[in-house]
Amino acid sequence: MACTITLSTIPGWTTDHGIILELMGTCLARKTITVVSTVNDIRAAVADFGKEVHAANPEASFYVSVSIAKGSRKPNGYDAANNAKALGQQTYMKPEETRPCPART
């Protein structure tokens, strides 16, 4: 059975203690697609989407958010892969030291 997912970017950086996400930051891209219902298909969709966004925004540091559409069933193993950070969502996150300083007004 097919699964519909929405992929979107959240600005974020890695630190020694985990990750920092700017939940109210600017989303660089969003895409809703239907994939075959396996974790590997979702992992491949995250990788393809991340590559596209990175090519268009090479300096950006971002996390790829995956949302399962209402009415779609999560593939077997999705929660475990998501919790283990095994979907590749953090691939394009840079270290916090590269984070731009906020503009002073």
Side-chain angles (χ1 to χ4, degrees):
M1 177 178 249
C3 175
T4 300
I5 61 173
T6 298
L7 302 170
S8 57
T9 62
I10 300 172
W13 293 267
T14 60
T15 70
D16 293 339
H17 306 289
I19 62 173
I20 295 172
L21 297 177
E22 287 186 4
L23 298 178
M24 301 304 283
T26 303
C27 178
L28 298 172
R30 179 170 287 139
K31 184 179 196 178
T32 299
I33 59 173
T34 300
V35 295
V36 176
S37 198
T38 69
V39 170
N40 285 335
D41 293 328
I42 293 175
R43 187 178 295 119
V46 167
D48 291 344
F49 178 73
K51 287 176 192 172
E52 290 172 18
V53 174
H54 179 69
N57 305 278
E59 298 301 318
S61 179
F62 60 90
Y63 176 87
V64 177
S65 171
V66 179
S67 299
I68 307 289
K70 287 186 179 183
S72 287
R73 287 180 150 292
K74 291 181 194 175
N76 289 336
Y78 172 81
D79 287 330
N82 190 36
N83 291 338
K85 297 175 179 66
L87 296 175
Q89 295 161 288
Q90 297 176 329
T91 301
Y92 295 100
M93 294 181 74
K94 297 178 181 179
E96 184 180 28
E97 297 84 43
T98 64
R99 185 178 185 178
C101 292
R104 293 187 177 169
T105 55

